Every structure is written in structure tokens, then in C-alpha cells.
Amino acid sequence: MPRKILNRKELRQQAEAQEVSANRTEQTPAQELALPQPPSPTLPKPTKRSKKAEKEVRLKAFWGVFNQNLRRVALFEYSERKLADKKAEELTQSTKTPHFVQLVKEVIQE
């Protein structure tokens, strides 16, 4: 013989109704008028961590002579652009592969 299926929502409502009626009989009329205070959670405040100061990176500009495989062949100071162009032209003529000049920025080591 199969068992009767219980409706859990109805059982829950009945249990809550019994709880409420039990609580009301225990309270005095003065307690019923007072508003219930929700419990205040005492959670620790999250600590603020300061970020480390970023290290200042200084760069210096150079002219680099590169081949067609993007491999740096020579490096010149920024003020020596004409020498870099001459070097690129010489390498292009002698090796029959194109070379070009491009700006390169490198980190200054202190």
C-alpha cells in the first residue's frame, strides 16, 4: 500500500504558525510593543593595504639598424641619425638584403 505524499510547504507553514503562537504566549504586553532589535554582526573591517610605489623606469632613445629579419645589426646614439642611415645603406648595398633604421628605446641602468 503506497504512502500518502506529504506537502512540505503546508507542513512548513503549520510549524511556523505553531512557533509564532508559542512565542506570543511567552511575551508580556510590554515586550510585544517593543520593536525587536536585529543582532548586529561584528565583522572585522578589511585592512587597507598600501600599494608598493612603482619603480620609475627611465628610457633612452637610440637609432638601430635592422635587417629584413628584424635583427638589430648596429646601434647609434640618437644624435647620430645620419651615420645610422649611411650604415643601413652600406649594408643594403654589400649584402643585397634590405636594411632599415628604426628608433629603439632601452632602459637606463643606474
Coordinates of all heavy atoms in Angstrom, one line a residue, residues 1-41:
M1 N 0.8 -1.2 0.0 CA 0.0 0.0 0.0 C 0.9 1.2 0.0 O 1.7 1.4 0.9 CB -0.9 0.0 1.3 CG -1.8 1.1 1.3 SD -3.0 0.7 2.6 CE -3.4 2.3 3.1
P2 N 0.7 2.1 -1.0 CA 1.6 3.3 -1.1 C 1.3 4.3 0.0 O 0.2 4.4 0.5 CB 1.3 3.9 -2.4 CG 0.0 3.4 -2.8 CD -0.2 2.1 -2.1
R3 N 2.3 5.0 0.4 CA 2.2 6.1 1.5 C 1.6 7.3 0.9 O 1.8 7.6 -0.3 CB 3.5 6.3 2.2 CG 3.9 5.2 3.0 CD 5.1 5.5 3.9 NE 6.0 6.5 3.5 CZ 7.0 6.9 4.3 NH1 7.3 6.2 5.3 NH2 7.8 7.8 3.9
K4 N 1.0 8.1 1.7 CA 0.5 9.4 1.3 C 1.6 10.4 1.1 O 2.5 10.5 1.9 CB -0.5 9.9 2.3 CG -1.1 11.2 1.9 CD -2.1 11.7 3.0 CE -2.6 13.1 2.7 NZ -3.5 13.6 3.8
I5 N 1.6 11.2 0.0 CA 2.6 12.1 -0.3 C 2.4 13.4 0.6 O 1.3 13.9 0.6 CB 2.6 12.5 -1.8 CG1 2.9 11.3 -2.6 CG2 3.7 13.6 -2.0 CD1 2.9 11.6 -4.1
L6 N 3.4 13.8 1.3 CA 3.3 14.9 2.2 C 3.7 16.2 1.5 O 4.6 16.3 0.7 CB 4.2 14.8 3.4 CG 4.0 13.5 4.3 CD1 5.1 13.4 5.3 CD2 2.6 13.6 4.9
N7 N 2.9 17.3 1.7 CA 3.2 18.5 1.1 C 4.0 19.3 2.1 O 3.6 19.7 3.1 CB 1.9 19.3 0.8 CG 2.1 20.6 0.0 OD1 3.3 21.0 -0.1 ND2 1.1 21.1 -0.5
R8 N 5.3 19.5 1.7 CA 6.3 20.1 2.6 C 6.0 21.6 2.9 O 6.3 22.1 4.0 CB 7.7 19.9 2.1 CG 8.0 18.4 1.9 CD 9.5 18.2 2.2 NE 9.9 16.8 2.0 CZ 9.7 15.9 2.9 NH1 9.2 16.1 4.0 NH2 10.1 14.6 2.6
K9 N 5.4 22.3 1.9 CA 5.1 23.7 2.1 C 4.0 23.8 3.2 O 4.1 24.7 4.1 CB 4.6 24.3 0.8 CG 5.7 24.5 -0.2 CD 5.2 25.3 -1.4 CE 6.3 25.5 -2.4 NZ 5.9 26.2 -3.6
E10 N 3.0 23.0 3.2 CA 2.0 23.1 4.2 C 2.5 22.7 5.5 O 2.2 23.4 6.5 CB 0.8 22.1 3.8 CG 0.0 22.6 2.6 CD -1.1 21.6 2.3 OE1 -1.3 20.6 3.0 OE2 -1.7 21.8 1.2
L11 N 3.4 21.7 5.6 CA 4.0 21.3 6.9 C 4.8 22.5 7.5 O 4.8 22.7 8.7 CB 4.8 20.1 6.7 CG 4.0 18.8 6.4 CD1 5.0 17.6 6.2 CD2 3.1 18.4 7.6
R12 N 5.5 23.1 6.6 CA 6.4 24.2 7.0 C 5.5 25.4 7.6 O 5.9 26.0 8.6 CB 7.2 24.7 5.8 CG 8.1 25.9 6.0 CD 9.3 25.5 6.9 NE 10.1 26.7 7.1 CZ 11.4 26.7 7.1 NH1 12.0 25.6 6.9 NH2 12.1 27.8 7.3
Q13 N 4.4 25.7 6.9 CA 3.6 26.8 7.3 C 2.9 26.4 8.7 O 2.8 27.3 9.6 CB 2.5 27.0 6.3 CG 3.0 27.7 5.0 CD 1.9 27.8 4.0 OE1 0.8 27.3 4.1 NE2 2.2 28.5 2.9
Q14 N 2.6 25.2 8.9 CA 2.0 24.8 10.2 C 3.0 24.9 11.3 O 2.7 25.4 12.4 CB 1.5 23.3 10.1 CG 0.3 23.2 9.2 CD -0.1 21.7 9.0 OE1 0.6 20.8 9.5 NE2 -1.1 21.4 8.3
A15 N 4.3 24.5 11.0 CA 5.3 24.6 12.0 C 5.6 26.0 12.4 O 5.8 26.4 13.6 CB 6.6 23.9 11.5
E16 N 5.6 26.9 11.4 CA 5.9 28.3 11.7 C 4.7 29.0 12.4 O 5.0 29.8 13.3 CB 6.1 29.1 10.3 CG 7.4 28.8 9.7 CD 7.6 29.5 8.4 OE1 6.7 30.1 7.9 OE2 8.7 29.4 7.8
A17 N 3.5 28.6 12.1 CA 2.4 29.1 12.8 C 2.4 28.7 14.3 O 2.1 29.4 15.2 CB 1.1 28.6 12.2
Q18 N 2.8 27.4 14.6 CA 2.9 27.0 16.0 C 4.0 27.7 16.7 O 3.9 28.0 17.9 CB 3.2 25.5 16.0 CG 2.0 24.6 15.6 CD 2.4 23.1 15.5 OE1 3.6 22.8 15.6 NE2 1.4 22.3 15.3
E19 N 5.1 28.0 16.0 CA 6.2 28.7 16.6 C 5.8 30.1 17.0 O 6.1 30.6 18.1 CB 7.4 28.8 15.6 CG 8.7 28.2 16.1 CD 9.8 28.4 15.1 OE1 10.2 29.5 14.9 OE2 10.1 27.4 14.4
V20 N 5.1 30.8 16.1 CA 4.6 32.2 16.4 C 3.7 32.2 17.5 O 3.8 33.0 18.4 CB 4.0 32.8 15.1 CG1 3.3 34.1 15.4 CG2 5.1 33.0 14.0
S21 N 2.8 31.2 17.6 CA 1.8 31.2 18.7 C 2.5 30.9 20.0 O 2.1 31.5 21.0 CB 0.7 30.2 18.4 OG 1.2 28.9 18.4
A22 N 3.5 30.1 20.0 CA 4.2 29.8 21.2 C 5.0 31.0 21.7 O 5.1 31.3 22.9 CB 5.2 28.6 21.0
N23 N 5.6 31.8 20.8 CA 6.3 33.0 21.2 C 5.4 34.0 21.7 O 5.8 34.8 22.6 CB 7.1 33.5 19.9 CG 8.3 32.6 19.6 OD1 8.8 31.8 20.4 ND2 8.8 32.8 18.4
R24 N 4.2 34.2 21.2 CA 3.3 35.2 21.6 C 2.8 34.9 23.1 O 2.6 35.8 23.8 CB 2.1 35.3 20.7 CG 2.5 36.0 19.4 CD 1.3 36.4 18.6 NE 1.8 37.1 17.4 CZ 1.0 37.5 16.5 NH1 -0.3 37.2 16.5 NH2 1.4 38.1 15.4
T25 N 2.6 33.7 23.4 CA 2.1 33.4 24.7 C 3.2 33.7 25.8 O 2.9 34.0 26.9 CB 1.7 31.9 24.8 OG1 2.8 31.1 24.5 CG2 0.5 31.7 23.9
E26 N 4.5 33.5 25.4 CA 5.6 33.8 26.4 C 5.8 35.2 26.6 O 6.4 35.6 27.6 CB 6.8 33.1 25.9 CG 6.7 31.6 25.8 CD 8.0 31.0 25.2 OE1 8.9 31.7 24.8 OE2 8.0 29.7 25.0
Q27 N 5.5 36.1 25.7 CA 5.9 37.5 25.8 C 4.8 38.3 26.6 O 3.6 38.0 26.6 CB 5.9 38.2 24.4 CG 7.1 37.7 23.6 CD 7.1 38.4 22.2 OE1 6.1 39.0 21.8 NE2 8.2 38.2 21.5
T28 N 5.3 39.3 27.3 CA 4.4 40.2 28.1 C 3.9 41.2 27.1 O 4.5 41.5 26.1 CB 5.2 40.8 29.3 OG1 6.2 41.6 28.7 CG2 5.7 39.7 30.2
P29 N 2.9 42.0 27.5 CA 2.4 43.0 26.6 C 3.4 44.1 26.3 O 3.4 44.7 25.2 CB 1.2 43.6 27.3 CG 0.8 42.5 28.3 CD 2.0 41.7 28.6
A30 N 4.3 44.4 27.3 CA 5.3 45.4 27.1 C 6.3 44.9 26.0 O 6.8 45.7 25.2 CB 6.0 45.7 28.4
Q31 N 6.6 43.7 26.0 CA 7.6 43.1 25.1 C 7.0 43.1 23.6 O 7.7 43.3 22.7 CB 8.0 41.7 25.4 CG 8.9 41.6 26.7 CD 9.1 40.2 27.1 OE1 8.4 39.3 26.7 NE2 10.2 40.0 27.9
E32 N 5.7 43.0 23.5 CA 5.1 43.0 22.2 C 5.2 44.3 21.6 O 5.3 44.4 20.4 CB 3.6 42.5 22.3 CG 3.4 41.1 22.6 CD 2.0 40.7 22.8 OE1 1.1 41.5 22.5 OE2 1.7 39.5 23.2
L33 N 5.1 45.4 22.4 CA 5.2 46.7 21.8 C 6.6 47.2 21.4 O 6.7 48.0 20.5 CB 4.6 47.8 22.8 CG 3.1 47.6 23.2 CD1 2.7 48.6 24.3 CD2 2.3 47.8 22.0
A34 N 7.6 46.6 22.1 CA 8.9 47.0 21.8 C 9.3 46.3 20.4 O 9.0 45.2 20.2 CB 9.9 46.5 22.9
L35 N 10.0 47.1 19.6 CA 10.4 46.6 18.3 C 11.6 45.7 18.5 O 12.6 46.0 19.3 CB 10.9 47.8 17.4 CG 9.7 48.7 17.0 CD1 10.3 49.9 16.2 CD2 8.7 48.0 16.2
P36 N 11.6 44.6 17.9 CA 12.8 43.7 18.0 C 14.0 44.3 17.3 O 14.0 44.8 16.3 CB 12.3 42.4 17.3 CG 11.3 42.8 16.3 CD 10.6 44.0 17.0
Q37 N 15.2 44.2 18.0 CA 16.4 44.7 17.5 C 17.2 43.5 16.8 O 17.4 42.5 17.4 CB 17.3 45.2 18.7 CG 16.7 46.4 19.4 CD 16.6 47.6 18.5 OE1 17.5 47.8 17.7 NE2 15.6 48.4 18.7
P38 N 17.5 43.8 15.5 CA 18.2 42.7 14.8 C 19.7 42.6 15.4 O 20.2 43.6 15.8 CB 18.3 43.2 13.4 CG 18.1 44.7 13.5 CD 17.2 44.9 14.7
P39 N 20.2 41.4 15.5 CA 21.5 41.3 16.1 C 22.6 42.0 15.1 O 22.5 41.8 13.9 CB 21.8 39.8 16.1 CG 20.8 39.2 15.1 CD 19.7 40.2 15.0
S40 N 23.4 42.7 15.7 CA 24.4 43.4 14.9 C 25.7 42.5 14.7 O 26.3 42.1 15.7 CB 24.9 44.7 15.6 OG 25.4 44.4 16.9
P41 N 26.0 42.3 13.5 CA 27.2 41.4 13.3 C 28.4 42.2 13.5 O 28.6 43.4 13.2 CB 27.1 41.1 11.8 CG 26.3 42.2 11.2 CD 25.3 42.7 12.3

